[in-house]
């Protein structure tokens, strides 16, 4: 069953109950956050290559990628028909977000950039 809800106050309960998230997006502005939200909830993601182009994800492991309608349909069926695939992609996606997109690491990286700029006299 596909449910279109429109705007919701908190997307996490929806992602936690979803069998998968499909992101067949052709514009890559702010899209990565939508994919990352799903991955953070350990929900398997089937995405266009463009929607994950700025992420260093392992295609086929942390996210399933498709760019043609028939490939999207096949990846979706793969996830729906194979619970172990769904679980492994979901868990790998979650681990990717935990290891790569934590605020502490991002803040430390920004702090290093600012420090380098100050030392360089900018």
């Amino acid at each position: 069953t596909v449910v279109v809800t429109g705007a919701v106050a908190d997307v996490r309960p929806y992602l936690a109950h979803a069998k998968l998230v499909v992101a067949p997006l052709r514009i890559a502005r702010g899209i990565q956050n939508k994919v990352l939200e799903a991955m953070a909830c350990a929900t398997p993601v089937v995405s266009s290559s463009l929607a994950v182009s700025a992420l260093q994800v392992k295609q086929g492991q942390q996210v399933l990628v498709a760019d043609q309608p028939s490939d999207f349909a096949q990846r979706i069926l793969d996830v729906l028909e194979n619970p172990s695939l769904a679980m492994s992609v979901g868990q790998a996606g979650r681990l990717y977000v935990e290891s790569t997109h934590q605020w502490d690491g991002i803040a430390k990286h920004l702090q290093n950039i600012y420090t380098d700029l100050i030392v360089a006299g900018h």
Side-chain angles (χ1 to χ4, degrees):
T1 303
V2 175
V3 177
V4 178
T5 61
V8 296
D10 185 355
V11 71
R12 291 173 296 172
Y14 294 90
L15 292 172
H17 287 86
K19 299 260 187 219
L20 74 147
V21 167
V22 181
L25 306 162
R26 297 177 188 234
I27 298 172
R29 288 184 217 107
I31 302 307
Q32 294 84 1
N33 290 335
K34 308 295 186 230
V35 171
L36 288 171
E37 287 173 343
M39 293 171 73
C41 291
T43 304
V45 175
V46 177
S47 171
S48 65
S49 57
L50 187 58
V52 295
S53 62
L55 305 176
Q56 276 62 55
V57 292
K58 294 178 184 164
Q59 297 181 16
Q61 294 177 20
Q62 297 160 326
V63 65
L64 301 177
V65 175
D67 287 313
Q68 300 302 317
S70 60
D71 294 333
F72 265 101
Q74 186 58 57
R75 296 300 160 312
I76 291 166
L77 289 174
D78 292 345
V79 170
L80 294 175
E81 293 173 351
N82 188 339
S84 64
L85 174 65
M87 182 175 281
S88 69
V89 171
Q91 290 300 316
R94 166 85 184 187
L95 290 173
Y96 167 79
V97 173
E98 288 176 351
S99 66
T100 311
H101 294 276
Q102 292 297 313
W103 283 114
D104 291 343
I106 293 168
K108 181 67 174 165
H109 180 67
L110 284 174
Q111 182 180 12
N112 290 339
I113 291 170
Y114 294 147
T115 300
D116 290 347
L117 288 171
I118 291 168
V119 169
H122 288 76

